[in-house]
Amino acid sequence: MREYLQNIWTAVITIMIGMRVTFKHLFVPAVTIQYPDVKPQLPERERNRLYVNMDDCIGCDQCARACPVDCISIETVKGLPTEDLGKTSQGKKKALWVTSFTIDYAKCCYCQLCVFPCPTECIYMTDVYEFSEYDRDNLIYNFSTLTPEEAEQKKINYAQFEAEKAKEKAAKAAAPANPTAVKE
Amino acid sequence: MTYDFFNKLFGSQIVAALIQSLLPLFFFILPFALFAVWFERKVSAHMQDRLGPMRVGWHGWLQSIADILKLIQKEDIIATENDKPLFNIAPLLVFVGSYAAFAAIPFSSAFIGSNLDLGVFFIVAVSGFVVAGILMAGWASNNKYSLLGAMRSAAQIISYEIPTILVIVTIVMVTGTLNLNTLSEMQTGHFWNWMIFGGPTFGIAKFLLIPFMILGFVIIYISTLAEVNRTPFDIPEAESELVSGYHTEYSGMKFAMFFLAEYANMFAVSAVVAALFFGGYQSPIGYLGNLIGIKWFIPIEQLLWFTAKGLFFVFVQMWLRWTLPRLRVDQLMAACWKYLIPLAFVNLIIIGLITLI
Ligand code: SF4
Ligand code: SF4
């Protein structure tokens, strides 16, 4: 009998305590952040969409090699000796035309591994995280500053340059080859 | 009173009766259900330090309307192995059961669906109807979770009906009437005339009655809570065990019927509790209409008081839901058979003795 009454007492008291707690919480300000209207404070080193500052990129391909999911693809063409490709902000001379530099954010896992190897610190994380798309192809971002025509032109230029150099070499190789043949 | 009015207006008893019976559905149950769904979300959210719906309208007040529109558009899925006639009729039966209960509930002195002399008895009887609907739904779904939920629900509702009725019998013993309208009329005046404070008579018996009336109120509140399958007694639809119990297989409007019935039921039981213990539609502090001499204003005030009392008890139901965890099946049965029923019996006997004084 004692236990029975004790049970009732415990039930009533504990329910009261519980109800008091929930009632108090009715008036506690909500912790909800009304997302699109109010944005959460992001931590300092958050990892979101990458950005490549092409002015500084020397096309060394180190970021692409560091990427664990191979979502960066870089194509480069050597610049001609006559061309001036400009300098990076640290004063390094650029030697390569970056004909294409794409990052596929659909594949990117935001690990930031590509950021550290970059010698010129031109690939880095921004605070943009709202870039969803309806079409997956739209998530492939091209950072190259050259237009496709220009890129094509650079390739042709270089091919021509190479061809000319090869011809010269062949000619040079042919010229001293003959005297030795004569000697023998 | 409204019946006579419509009867005179249209000169036909059938039309008047139809209007009379549809009034609470369209002007009370539907708006109330929409409001209660929104309110429940808000209450639960704020109790958990969240905000709840905020997008649709001011603080999301249109959310439940958007939900209803969504439910109307949904496909009505009937699986091949379902028992079709039973499956289709079950949500209707459940809804009819809870809607019929409103017939005997006095909303104000001017409006009561049907002024039955057997009011409380009628409500208890027709809400027993719901069990049949739930069992049908569970059986016809041909799904073990649904069936389990329905079985649990039937066991639970039938068990908890006993303490409910015992408490109602106590009240009937004191007041000598089953008519909810008369019951409410008896508790007129100020709040000390309410049954929870010992009823309208004045004397030593009144003060002796108070603690036992409070006990009776607690018992009937707990057991009606169990009858409408709300947490902590929601084992029939325990989400974490049974998906959602007997309405797992339902979609679209049929699901909405169950939903509507649940909220209608919540109000119905709150209204019965309010009518039995808290003066029904009577104002606790007198009427403004009496004060400024506008007689027709009194029924409107009574309707507001009644709604306010009902809403308060609905709020407490929600409050309990978001406070307490779900009971286990054995605990549920123990709470009913080992605690509520003996207490209700003791209460009945003691109140019986007191009324002899
Ligand atoms: S963040 Fe990681 S996955 Fe994304 S591009 Fe850089 S290395 Fe690749
Ligand atoms: S590592 Fe930096 S400099 Fe090298 S290709 Fe990538 S972005 Fe350009």
Side-chain angles (χ1 to χ4, degrees), chain A residues 3-5 7-8 14-15 17-20 22-23 25-37, chain B residues 42-52 54-55 222 315-316 319-320 322-324 338-340 342-343:
Chain A
E3 203 196 326
Y4 181 83
L5 294 175
N7 278 347
I8 296 174
T14 47
I15 288 173
I17 292 171
M19 287 178 78
R20 204 181 64 212
T22 39
F23 194 74
H25 275 270
L26 263 185
F27 305 102
V28 172
V31 293
T32 314
I33 295 169
Q34 292 276 297
Y35 163 59
D37 306 335
Chain B
K42 280 304 206 191
V43 167
S44 68
H46 284 282
M47 278 182 177
Q48 298 168 348
D49 296 352
R50 297 181 287 115
L51 283 174
M54 288 294 279
R55 296 264 142 214
I222 295 173
F315 168 72
V316 177
W319 184 2
L320 278 167
W322 297 101
T323 303
L324 298 176
K338 282 163 82 178
Y339 294 96
L340 292 182
L343 281 180

Side-chain angles (χ1 to χ4, degrees), chain A residues 52 56-64 74 101 117-120 122-123:
Chain A
V52 185
D56 276 4
C57 177
I58 56 172
C60 65
D61 206 32
Q62 296 212 41
C63 50
I74 300 173
F101 192 124
C118 178
T120 57
C122 63
I123 182 166

Side-chain angles (χ1 to χ4, degrees), chain A residues 50 67-69 71-72 108-114 125:
Chain A
L50 282 164
C67 178
V69 293
C71 62
I72 305 181
C108 178
C109 63
Y110 306 97
C111 61
Q112 212 181 4
L113 287 177
C114 51
M125 294 287 180

